[in-house]
């Protein structure tokens, strides 16, 4: 038996729930007081992206999850030490040689309409995801043959074969929704869930005004709140057009916390402001360039290898991040030290050698314009991430030295997510926010048969599939680690991605007004998990 309080390991992505208010932004008023003027406490958080999907079984967006994961509980949450600890579940056990995973639930979670949260909600949530192949959780449920709920606080997942990371992966990623609400919706893939929200997390969304704000109110029934309930009555997410405007809003007192990390270029600017505090958190993700292998040229390994050779990661860390980052070589972050293949050597930054490799692969500049014929690609990125927009420009300039034309297209975040998910791109400059373990990461990103995963390469490689499947059923720890390192080496050799850096993450908030944040690792979770917000209290 594993008691959740002792579970360890780097974890994954989760996020927070919020509420929008229909009135104006009221810039300049006391950010700790609501517009109505009563005595309740409001914490205002800045963001640059609207909510795209209020259905937690479908959404993959960061801002969506900030709202949804504060409202809908998970079996597990992640603490500040990157350990998976109890949320809805109090413990889990393995039975039948690992083919049965049994979760025991707390009995004090209640939906905001007064209905108890039970094992029936967990069973319904998982089965609905499996049936409709929803989101990245569908991949984590691939081997589930059946789910039982023998009583109100017990859920049993029956697996076709053992899968070591199953409990922590599903426990952490899967949102639990109220069965009695969602089953009335009919086709769950068309259920917008955009009003009359019922949740059981720390805060419940009450109103949403796209383009302006999302407002959440305290859930007095949330069992992890301090005695007497959370000190913050209302959490309000305010929308800003860009990070620079959001930074100014924090300095002016219009918001109390930046929901997204402070860009490396702006860190120094906050150092002289006595009321603003910078909080550093660990990173469970990394920045990278992904290649769409359905493109006839990017399907060739030597082209991808050459493109990896025009990426100067050391210079990017030094200039774009101003030293606030660390390099990585393969697809496994150094945070997973026992799985990261230390024998791998990064592709050297050498545009001249990259051009030579491409010429050896049959490419030529027949018209003498300095560009290798056929090697012109669109490189998309998320314009809300200022570091990656700068990276895109740097890589574009260096690629030109190798005869490769890259056209940088940095677009609004939801458009970026839609394009990468649908494969409407050539190169993708992006940042994974959270991976809870290497096995789930590799299955989600590279397994060709993975339903609802994040195989944005669109790779279909039988050898890679076999390596992934063999590692997934290896329960011996040392052998498992060896197989992960073999996968690390193969993905690196094939250059399916070019790792950029592991970023040092810092959040900024007004320490003159609020204290008590319990941050979680990663820019995805950071300061805005429901648990963290429930622990915040006004200063004084």
């Amino acid at each position: 038996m594993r008691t959740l309080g002792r579970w360890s390991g780097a974890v994954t992505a989760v996020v927070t729930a919020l509420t929008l208010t229909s009135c104006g932004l009221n810039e300049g008023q006391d950010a700790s007081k609501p517009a109505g003027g009563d005595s309740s406490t409001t914490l205002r958080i800045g963001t640059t992206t609207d909510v795209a999907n209020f259905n937690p079984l479908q959404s993959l967006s960061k801002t969506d999850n900030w709202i949804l994961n504060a409202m809908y509980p998970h079996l597990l949450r992640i603490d500040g030490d990157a350990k998976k600890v109890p949320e809805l579940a109090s413990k889990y056990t393995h039975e039948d040689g690992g083919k049965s995973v049994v979760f025991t639930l707390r009995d004090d979670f209640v939906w905001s309409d007064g209905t108890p949260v039970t094992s029936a909600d967990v069973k319904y949530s998982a089965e609905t995801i499996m049936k409709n192949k929803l989101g990245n959780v569908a991949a984590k449920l691939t081997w589930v043959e059946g789910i039982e709920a023998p009583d109100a606080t017990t859920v049993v997942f029956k697996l076709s074969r053992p899968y070591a990371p199953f409990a922590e992966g599903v426990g952490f990623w899967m949102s639990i929704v109220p069965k009695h609400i969602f089953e009335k919706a009919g086709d769950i893939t068309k259920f917008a869930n955009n009003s009359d929200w019922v949740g059981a997390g720390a805060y419940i969304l009450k109103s949403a005004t796209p383009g302006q704000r999302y407002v959440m109110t305290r859930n007095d029934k949330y069992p992890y709140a301090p005695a007497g309930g959370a000190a913050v009555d209302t959490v309000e997410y305010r929308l800003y057009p860009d990070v620079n405007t959001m930074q100014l809003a924090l300095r002016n007192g219009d918001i109390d916390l930046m929901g997204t990390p402070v860009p490396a270029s702006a860190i120094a600017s906050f150092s002289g402001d006595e009321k603003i505090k910078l909080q550093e958190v660990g990173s469970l993700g990394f920045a990278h360039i992904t290649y769409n292998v359905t493109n006839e040229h990017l399907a060739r390994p030597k082209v991808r290898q050459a493109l990896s050779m025009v990426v100067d990661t050391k210079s990017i860390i030094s200039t774009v991040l101003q030293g606030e980052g660390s390099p990585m070589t393969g697809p496994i972050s150094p945070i997973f030290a026992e799985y990261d293949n230390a024998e791998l050597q990064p592709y050297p930054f050498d545009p001249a050698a990259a051009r030579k490799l491409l010429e050896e692969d049959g490419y030529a500049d027949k018209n003498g314009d300095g560009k290798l014929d056929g090697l012109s690609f669109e490189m998309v990125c998320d314009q809300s991430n200022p570091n990656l927009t700068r990276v895109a420009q740097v890589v574009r300039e260096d690629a030109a030295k190798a005869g490769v034309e890259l056209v940088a297209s940095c677009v609004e975040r939801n458009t970026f997510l839609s394009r990468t998910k649908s494969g409407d791109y050539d190169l993708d400059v992006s940042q994974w926010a959270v991976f809870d373990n290497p096995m789930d990461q590799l299955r989600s990103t590279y397994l060709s048969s993975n339903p609802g995963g994040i195989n944005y390469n669109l790779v279909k490689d039988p050898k890679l599939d076999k390596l992934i499947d063999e590692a997934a059923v290896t329960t011996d720890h040392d052998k498992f680690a060896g197989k992960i390192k073999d996968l690390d080496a193969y993905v690196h050799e094939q250059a399916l991605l070019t790792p950029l850096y592991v970023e040092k993450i810092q959040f900024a908030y007004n320490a003159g007004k609020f204290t008590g944040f319990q941050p979680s690792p990663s820019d995805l979770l950071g300061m805005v998990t429901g648990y963290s917000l429930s622990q915040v209290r006004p200063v004084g």
Side-chain angles (χ1 to χ4, degrees):
M1 178 183 298
R2 300 183 79 180
T3 303
L4 293 182
R6 295 198 298 269
W7 293 354
S8 62
V11 257
T12 58
V14 155
V15 234
T16 326
L18 317 124
T19 15
L20 295 163
T21 172
S22 57
C23 48
L25 289 180
N26 298 310
E27 303 293 357
Q29 74 173 42
D30 185 346
S32 67
K33 301 299 181 184
D38 62 36
S39 60
S40 63
T41 302
T42 298
L43 173 70
R44 292 188 170 93
I45 302 173
T47 181
T48 59
T49 309
D50 259 315
V51 174
N53 190 335
F54 291 100
N55 188 331
L57 301 183
Q58 298 186 43
S59 177
L60 290 175
S61 169
K62 177 190 299 185
T63 304
D64 294 0
N65 284 326
W66 285 353
I67 295 175
L68 302 176
N69 288 331
M71 186 158 49
Y72 299 101
H74 290 224
L75 292 167
L76 315 178
R77 66 175 182 85
I78 179 176
D79 69 7
D81 296 322
K83 296 178 180 178
K84 289 180 179 174
V85 296
E87 189 171 26
L88 178 56
S90 61
K91 65 181 180 182
Y92 74 76
T93 59
H94 288 107
E95 298 179 359
D96 190 22
K99 292 177 68 174
S100 292
V101 179
V102 183
F103 284 97
T104 301
L105 311 183
R106 293 178 61 128
D107 63 1
D108 53 358
F109 268 81
V110 180
W111 297 111
S112 52
D113 64 0
T115 305
V117 180
T118 71
S119 58
D121 297 307
V122 179
K123 184 175 186 291
Y124 169 81
S125 300
E127 290 178 341
T128 301
I129 291 170
M130 292 167 60
K131 176 183 177 182
N132 296 282
K133 297 182 179 180
L134 301 176
N136 66 334
V137 179
K140 302 178 189 302
L141 294 166
T142 300
W143 292 340
V144 174
E145 293 186 326
I147 305 172
E148 300 174 358
D151 58 56
T153 58
T154 304
V155 184
V156 183
F157 289 86
K158 299 287 188 177
L159 310 183
S160 60
R161 46 184 164 169
Y163 182 59
F166 175 83
E168 293 193 358
V170 169
F172 186 75
W173 281 97
M174 185 172 67
S175 295
I176 309 304
V177 300
K179 176 184 177 182
H180 65 288
I181 301 295
F182 276 59
E183 68 180 353
K184 297 177 183 178
D187 185 351
I188 204 67
T189 65
K190 299 178 181 179
F191 181 38
N193 190 38
N194 56 4
S195 63
D196 301 321
W197 295 278
V198 174
Y203 289 85
I204 310 299
L205 186 61
K206 292 300 179 185
S207 64
T209 307
Q212 295 187 39
R213 68 179 80 213
Y214 298 80
V215 181
M216 306 183 77
T217 57
R218 181 181 71 185
N219 176 13
D220 292 328
K221 300 180 178 68
Y222 182 61
Y224 290 106
V232 172
D233 302 279
T234 304
V235 174
E236 177 183 315
Y237 283 80
R238 288 184 164 196
L239 201 69
Y240 291 91
D242 52 59
V243 174
N244 291 332
T245 307
M246 183 166 57
Q247 290 172 192
L248 181 61
L250 178 62
R251 289 192 177 94
N252 291 342
D254 298 321
I255 58 174
D256 309 299
L257 167 69
M258 287 176 56
T260 54
V262 180
S265 59
I267 289 176
S269 68
F270 281 115
S271 60
D273 194 327
E274 294 183 357
K275 69 178 182 295
I276 305 299
K277 180 177 180 179
L278 293 175
Q279 174 77 52
E280 184 171 341
V281 304
S283 175
L284 299 175
F286 58 90
H288 64 281
I289 298 175
T290 292
Y291 305 103
N292 184 342
V293 300
T294 63
N295 179 292
E296 62 175 316
H297 303 289
L298 296 174
R300 301 166 72 150
K302 286 188 178 180
V303 173
R304 301 193 300 267
Q305 291 165 358
L307 286 170
S308 294
M309 295 168 66
V310 303
V311 180
D312 189 353
T313 54
K314 290 184 179 179
S315 176
I316 287 170
I317 292 171
S318 174
T319 58
V320 176
L321 296 186
Q322 299 187 12
E324 295 293 313
S326 303
M328 58 182 288
T329 302
I332 305 299
S333 171
I335 198 169
F336 302 113
E338 61 183 325
Y339 304 111
D340 181 29
N341 193 331
E343 296 181 0
L344 300 183
Q345 297 298 315
Y347 289 95
F349 172 64
D350 192 337
R355 184 180 184 114
K356 182 178 179 181
L357 180 62
L358 291 168
E359 290 173 342
E360 291 173 351
D361 202 35
Y363 292 94
D365 176 13
K366 295 180 180 179
N367 61 7
D369 64 355
K371 303 175 184 178
L372 296 174
D373 301 338
L375 295 183
S376 178
F377 306 109
E378 183 186 23
M379 179 172 51
V380 301
C381 65
D382 173 8
Q383 68 181 15
S384 71
N385 188 318
N387 290 335
L388 293 184
T389 58
R390 292 183 63 195
V391 167
Q393 296 302 324
V394 170
V395 174
R396 179 185 63 80
E397 294 170 5
D398 288 332
K401 300 173 185 176
V404 179
E405 181 181 47
L406 297 180
V407 178
S409 298
C410 293
V411 296
E412 183 270 335
R413 179 170 177 78
N414 288 327
T415 302
F416 168 77
L417 292 172
S418 176
R419 291 192 61 183
T420 53
K421 185 176 182 180
S422 65
D424 181 20
Y425 75 98
D426 296 324
L427 280 71
D428 155 16
V429 185
S430 58
Q431 185 159 334
W432 296 128
V434 178
F435 283 118
D436 67 327
N437 63 73
M439 188 70 259
D440 275 351
Q441 171 191 337
L442 293 167
R443 289 191 76 248
S444 293
T445 50
Y446 299 116
L447 188 65
S448 62
S449 62
N450 187 0
I454 48 178
N455 181 357
Y456 296 154
N457 286 100
L458 302 177
V459 61
K460 294 182 179 180
D461 183 337
K463 181 177 179 179
L464 184 54
D465 286 348
K466 183 178 179 181
L467 289 171
I468 292 171
D469 287 338
E470 289 178 349
V473 297
T474 302
T475 56
D476 179 273
H477 182 78
D478 292 339
K479 292 180 179 179
F480 175 73
K483 289 182 180 295
I484 294 297
K485 290 181 179 180
D486 290 342
L487 275 162
D488 195 358
Y490 185 77
V491 172
H492 176 61
E493 173 195 338
Q494 294 293 308
L496 291 174
L497 85 167
T498 300
L500 295 171
Y501 50 76
V502 178
E503 187 175 359
K504 295 179 183 177
I505 301 171
Q506 298 207 55
F507 290 85
Y509 68 97
N510 191 331
K513 290 185 177 180
F514 292 99
T515 187
F517 290 95
Q518 298 289 320
S520 295
S522 88
D523 69 325
L524 177 63
L525 305 174
M527 308 284 277
V528 296
T529 66
Y531 177 84
S532 175
L533 297 175
S534 73
Q535 309 303 306
V536 176
R537 58 188 183 277
V539 172

